[in-house]
Amino acid sequence: MDSEEASPGGIAMGEAASVVAEEEAHEFGALNTLLLVVVMVICIICAYLIKVHRFYYLPESAAVILVGLMVGFFAKLLSSSRQEMDFLSFQPEVFYFLLLPPIIFDAGYTLRRKQFFQNIVAISLYAVIGTLISTFVIGYVTYFLGRIGMISIDTTDALEPLMFGALISAVDPVATLSIMGSSELNCHPLLYNLVFGESVLNDAVSIVLYHSFQRFYLNRGEVQDSLAILMAIVNFAVVSLGSVVVGTAIGLGCSYLCKNTEIHRYPHFEISLLVLFAYGSYAFAEALELSGIMALFFCGIMLAHYNSYNLSHVARSTVEVAVHTLAQMSEYFVFLYIGMGFFTGRFTRWNVGFILVSIAVCLFARLLNTFPCSFLSNLRRADSKKIPFRMQVVIWFAGLRGAIAFALSQTMPLVNRDLYATTTLSIVIFTTIVCGGLTEPLLEVMEMKVKDPSLRNGDSSDEDSEDETHELLSSARDGDHASEQGVSMDVLGSGSDRMPGDTGCSATTTSTTTGAASASPGRRLYQDSKSRRKAFNDWWGGIDGRFLRPLFGGPDTCRDNSRDNEPSVPKASRRDVALAIKDRVASASHRRGGGAGAGGLSPLGSSAASHHPSNS
């Protein structure tokens, strides 16, 4: 009888203890969430002060890392709770599936596609060939250090050191870009485009290389050592191509759905659909063991190129701001966790000698990466667009290591994981704070700042502006013979260079290249390389305008803006085109300091604006 009465009492006590534990866990989560919110507010205020006071010796990302270091230090000092340390520690899966996708999608969706694809050869050399060079240099130096006994690692073969070489080659110049992207510095546009382009592709290349080496490391008994490295490189090529195909296909699928339905009537559905398709491309590629980063990046490019014109005005404006805000917050969280991880990671193996040697080897490998790839790129570039030596020095120095390298180090073989993780963490902190902080003085010394504010980062350089002026003039000469092929060109710039937030329905006109041969005698408008590039651009533009844009959306296939109760935008008249051409010629001449040599044409800023169809 007593046992029967005690049993319900014991159950009640157990339930009470469970409720108390749940309440304590809830309170713990609330307090730590509040801590992160307060710390993030501090980080944003620090970033604001850096921008206002133009203190470029301390990049935003470096300031966030320093805040993280302080938070981690005091957390370690005041609390030794395992639960607290786990909460403040860097979690690779949280990084990969929660923090990383917004950053990559923002990079692809807001990409200035014209500048990116104009320099795609140089960017690919840096991101692919350069990463391969860096991986093998760092990997085999690490393998040699293990063979001579300086570090204790698996030297059965070179696969484990090559995994470290691949992960530490993941360049993440967010700190540098935060400086180069500042409008006050007027960073050279070509430099900005090359560094930005490399940064968005290099991470994907490093991850694919790392997982390729890891796969053969885990199954190295099944494959001969001499073939493992070759098969890893072949696997890298297959995964990269497959990732691009997946991202492009999913982006086109979303664009087709938005173009051929009435979903624009419901902006919240539009935004939800776009975000889900973008995130779906990342998850689908990862599920297929492809590169989610590469798939998401190209999905973002497709959505910006086609689907941004299908969105309603409300959705278009909201997506641009929301995506950039999420990416900014994610970057701050990433660098914050990197700083806190220095004290909360509970690492046991620190090798100062290996850390110092690794920093030196990373700089040396980056040197072998940057200068040979620049040389190869310059072989095919016009004299006026070659990558100068001073610019190559800045590109070399901009090779900072970031969160992706640290996240990959958390998945290294368990036996030596702590050694690789502590080395990677130290390199990330050193390059972000020291190299990132010295970037602005280096830009000054290397004279990589443009004096004309109109040529800020991301804008076209003088040469590009002059080339575009020639194209406009040649197109205008043969405007009577232009065929209606849907090859649209914005009268004030290439449509492919328009940011996603633009309406995309501004005045357009069709053009062909038949006027290229009607240039003034004695001057060749296009060199051989430029002629080939232009021929390819015209060929692709014809396919894009005739077949793809009618299916997926574009500036020349925009729906009537009356869906947003906005007035429809009329097509440009020949007079509007002439005014735009005159404005381009005058602006290009003014930037070159030869305003008097523009044939007596005066800038038509206000006049062109008053006659532009978007203002009528």
Side-chain angles (χ1 to χ4, degrees):
M1 192 71 180
D2 292 339
S3 61
E4 292 179 358
E5 293 179 353
S7 179
I11 294 175
M13 292 180 62
E15 291 179 349
S18 177
V19 170
V20 170
E22 291 177 358
E23 290 180 350
E24 290 179 350
H26 181 78
E27 182 180 359
F28 173 82
L31 290 175
N32 280 277
T33 302
L34 177 62
L35 171 64
L36 287 180
V37 169
V38 172
V39 172
M40 284 296 295
V41 170
I42 295 174
C43 293
I44 292 174
I45 293 175
C46 289
Y48 167 75
L49 294 175
I50 289 173
K51 283 186 175 295
V52 169
H53 297 286
R54 301 181 182 181
F55 189 72
Y56 301 118
Y57 290 95
L58 183 65
E60 296 174 28
S61 52
V64 175
I65 286 180
L66 292 177
V67 172
L69 285 170
M70 290 187 290
V71 173
F73 172 76
F74 285 109
K76 186 75 171 179
L77 184 66
L78 301 177
S79 174
S80 58
S81 169
R82 180 181 179 85
Q83 188 180 16
E84 182 74 26
M85 295 299 102
D86 289 339
F87 187 87
L88 298 178
S89 297
F90 187 90
Q91 303 295 333
E93 294 306 313
V94 174
F95 168 73
Y96 281 126
F97 290 99
L98 185 62
L99 299 177
L100 183 59
I103 300 174
I104 302 301
F105 182 63
D106 178 62
Y109 195 73
T110 61
L111 177 73
R112 291 189 176 271
R113 299 180 295 282
K114 179 181 177 181
Q115 282 80 8
F116 178 82
F117 287 106
Q118 278 181 343
N119 298 288
I120 189 63
V121 174
I123 290 171
S124 299
L125 284 172
Y126 291 135
V128 180
I129 305 301
T131 302
L132 285 171
I133 294 173
S134 177
T135 295
F136 282 99
V137 170
I138 297 173
Y140 277 104
V141 169
T142 303
Y143 178 70
F144 174 76
L145 294 178
R147 296 285 292 181
I148 65 175
M150 180 176 177
I151 54 176
S152 177
I153 60 173
D154 184 359
T155 56
T156 305
D157 52 40
L159 286 175
E160 182 181 296
L162 284 173
M163 290 168 59
F164 175 68
L167 73 88
I168 205 62
S169 297
V171 175
D172 183 20
V174 175
T176 304
L177 290 176
S178 66
I179 297 175
M180 293 181 179
S182 174
S183 58
E184 295 86 358
L185 289 184
N186 297 329
C187 176
H188 194 289
L190 177 59
L191 172 62
Y192 178 85
N193 291 324
L194 291 176
V195 174
F196 176 80
E198 180 194 9
S199 70
V200 296
L201 290 184
N202 168 271
D203 290 342
V205 172
S206 296
I207 289 177
V208 173
L209 268 179
Y210 174 82
H211 287 301
S212 298
F213 288 130
Q214 185 183 51
R215 181 177 303 172
F216 289 102
Y217 175 83
L218 298 176
N219 303 286
R220 55 186 173 184
E222 303 175 6
V223 182
Q224 295 182 4
D225 295 341
S226 58
L227 296 177
I229 296 176
L230 178 62
M231 293 180 65
I233 296 177
V234 173
N235 179 71
F236 156 74
V238 173
V239 169
S240 299
L241 180 61
S243 302
V244 173
V245 171
V246 167
T248 301
I250 293 179
L252 292 177
C254 180
S255 302
Y256 181 84
L257 183 62
C258 292
K259 175 71 168 63
N260 296 280
T261 63
E262 297 297 318
I263 199 170
H264 61 267
R265 297 179 181 273
Y266 310 98
H268 55 289
F269 287 162
E270 282 185 294
I271 299 173
S272 301
L273 199 65
L274 184 143
V275 172
L276 290 174
F277 265 87
Y279 196 87
S281 68
Y282 182 88
F284 184 63
E286 290 292 329
L288 295 179
E289 297 185 350
L290 300 175
S291 171
I293 292 179
M294 200 171 289
L296 181 56
F297 177 70
F298 280 92
C299 179
I301 292 178
M302 291 298 105
L303 290 175
H305 185 65
Y306 295 110
N307 195 54
S308 61
Y309 302 103
N310 302 327
L311 300 177
S312 63
H313 179 72
V314 174
R316 192 182 304 124
S317 303
T318 303
V319 166
E320 182 182 2
V321 176
V323 166
H324 188 66
T325 301
L326 286 175
Q328 190 76 57
M329 295 291 289
S330 297
E331 288 176 2
Y332 287 169
F333 267 115
V334 166
F335 286 109
L336 183 65
Y337 270 103
I338 287 177
M340 293 189 299
F342 191 85
F343 293 100
T344 62
R346 299 188 301 278
F347 300 117
T348 57
R349 292 182 64 184
W350 294 83
N351 190 322
V352 177
F354 183 45
I355 291 172
L356 296 177
V357 172
S358 296
I359 292 174
V361 173
C362 285
L363 294 173
F364 176 69
R366 179 74 178 173
L367 182 145
L368 297 180
N369 160 353
T370 302
F371 292 98
C373 290
S374 300
F375 172 78
L376 293 176
S377 176
N378 283 338
L379 293 177
R380 304 292 295 176
R381 299 176 74 94
D383 290 340
S384 60
K385 295 184 179 181
K386 289 186 183 297
I387 306 171
F389 177 78
R390 292 174 179 268
M391 186 177 294
Q392 296 176 35
V393 172
V394 179
I395 295 174
W396 164 73
F397 196 76
L400 312 183
R401 272 59 181 179
I404 289 181
F406 185 54
L408 289 175
S409 71
Q410 305 292 295
T411 61
M412 285 290 287
L414 186 60
V415 177
N416 301 309
R417 180 177 299 173
D418 273 9
L419 175 65
Y420 292 118
T422 53
T423 303
T424 303
L425 180 60
S426 302
I427 294 174
V428 169
I429 294 176
F430 173 83
T431 56
T432 303
I433 296 177
V434 178
C435 296
L438 294 177
T439 298
E440 194 275 338
L442 185 64
L443 288 173
E444 192 74 42
V445 172
M446 294 290 111
E447 300 178 352
M448 283 294 106
K449 298 180 181 180
V450 293
K451 297 180 180 179
D452 190 343
S454 65
L455 299 178
R456 288 197 299 263
N457 50 344
D459 297 334
S460 297
S461 59
D462 282 336
E463 296 83 2
D464 292 336
S465 299
E466 185 176 357
D467 293 338
E468 290 170 3
T469 303
H470 292 325
E471 293 171 10
L472 282 168
L473 289 171
S474 62
S475 299
R477 291 190 189 99
D478 294 86
D480 295 334
H481 305 287
S483 59
E484 296 293 332
Q485 297 180 2
V487 185
S488 65
M489 177 185 65
D490 193 294
V491 296
L492 295 179
S494 173
S496 63
D497 192 33
R498 187 183 293 108
M499 297 295 287
D502 296 344
T503 61
C505 294
S506 56
T508 58
T509 185
T510 57
S511 64
T512 59
T513 61
T514 57
S518 62
S520 57
R523 178 176 182 179
R524 296 186 59 185
L525 295 180
Y526 306 105
Q527 297 179 354
D528 292 340
S529 60
K530 180 170 178 60
S531 298
R532 287 192 294 269
R533 186 182 70 183
K534 190 174 187 305
F536 174 80
N537 290 341
D538 291 336
W539 171 79
W540 171 250
I543 295 177
D544 190 37
R546 180 178 295 179
F547 301 108
L548 298 181
R549 287 183 173 179
L551 280 176
F552 305 111
D556 49 347
T557 60
C558 269
R559 292 193 185 97
D560 190 355
N561 278 357
S562 59
R563 69 189 187 192
D564 292 319
N565 296 322
E566 299 173 357
S568 59
V569 180
K571 287 187 176 293
S573 65
R574 191 171 304 280
R575 182 169 178 270
D576 297 320
V577 177
L579 286 172
I581 293 173
K582 285 185 176 181
D583 189 33
R584 178 62 62 85
V585 172
S587 299
S589 177
H590 176 69
R591 285 198 294 267
R592 293 193 301 272
L601 297 177
S602 60
L604 299 174
S606 59
S607 175
S610 64
H611 288 91
H612 196 281
S614 61
N615 293 325
S616 61

